[in-house]
Amino acid sequence: MKVTVNRRITFNAAHRLNNPAWDEETNKRIFGLCNNPNYHGHNYVLIVKVTGDIDRETGYVIDLKILKDIVDQSVTDRFDHRNLNLDVTEFKNLNPTAENIAVVVWNILREKLDSKFDLSIVLYETERNFVEFSGK
Ligand code: NI
């Protein structure tokens, strides 16, 4: 009997989408406003989904307090009010698109969570645009 426990967090961060292998015109054409040289911000919404069996003794899949602390320390504290391109090492050579942010967050949290859990990440970049990554 698998149940999915969700933790929703928000963080504000700046980024710039740019492919250094392309010229300026191509970057502008492909990334539009997101290529703005002086960066721009998003109010990201991150949903961390942890799926597992209900523990017989606690009745929990995972204690949400523990999940909260893991997400706060390893994601929110590192991403919130940062410039993703400049401040977060994972994006030094990786375009900080919603897709890549979701994969980076998944990899960070996968290491912190017991392997008995399935993990999926949903990341909203805007109210209407969001991506999901489940490790495959
Ligand atoms: Ni953007």
Side-chain angles (χ1 to χ4, degrees):
M1 203 167 59
K2 301 274 187 190
V3 176
T4 300
V5 171
N6 298 274
R7 173 81 188 164
R8 179 184 177 279
I9 62 143
T10 58
F11 62 92
N12 310 316
H15 76 165
R16 181 194 187 202
L17 302 184
N18 187 66
N19 183 338
W22 296 342
D23 61 27
E24 214 174 295
E25 279 316 302
T26 310
N27 272 298
K28 265 188 199 158
R29 182 165 51 79
I30 300 293
F31 296 123
L33 285 173
C34 282
N35 184 241
N36 177 18
N38 292 330
Y39 305 94
H40 63 278
H42 290 283
N43 300 318
Y44 291 98
V45 177
L46 175 71
I47 297 163
V48 177
K49 305 167 131 189
V50 177
T51 302
D53 293 312
I54 299 175
D55 184 277
R56 280 178 185 279
E57 288 181 315
T58 61
Y60 291 155
V61 171
I62 183 171
D63 185 333
L64 270 165
K65 172 76 173 76
I66 292 169
L67 181 60
K68 174 194 185 296
D69 288 345
I70 291 172
V71 177
D72 285 357
Q73 283 163 22
S74 54
V75 180
T76 319
D77 289 357
R78 293 189 55 219
F79 289 21
D80 189 34
H81 285 71
R82 307 290 165 154
N83 179 315
L84 297 177
N85 302 71
L86 302 179
D87 299 330
V88 181
T89 50
E90 284 89 339
F91 301 110
K92 222 168 182 59
N93 298 303
L94 181 68
N95 222 7
T97 58
E99 290 88 331
N100 281 332
I101 297 169
V103 171
V104 163
V105 168
W106 188 92
N107 282 320
I108 290 169
L109 294 179
R110 184 67 279 182
E111 259 185 44
K112 308 265 178 194
L113 286 170
D114 194 308
S115 59
K116 70 182 180 185
F117 298 122
D118 289 327
L119 173 65
S120 188
I121 298 298
V122 175
L123 181 74
Y124 284 76
E125 191 169 74
T126 68
E127 235 173 79
R128 293 177 182 175
N129 297 340
F130 58 101
V131 301
E132 181 158 10
F133 182 62
S134 307
K136 287 170 199 150

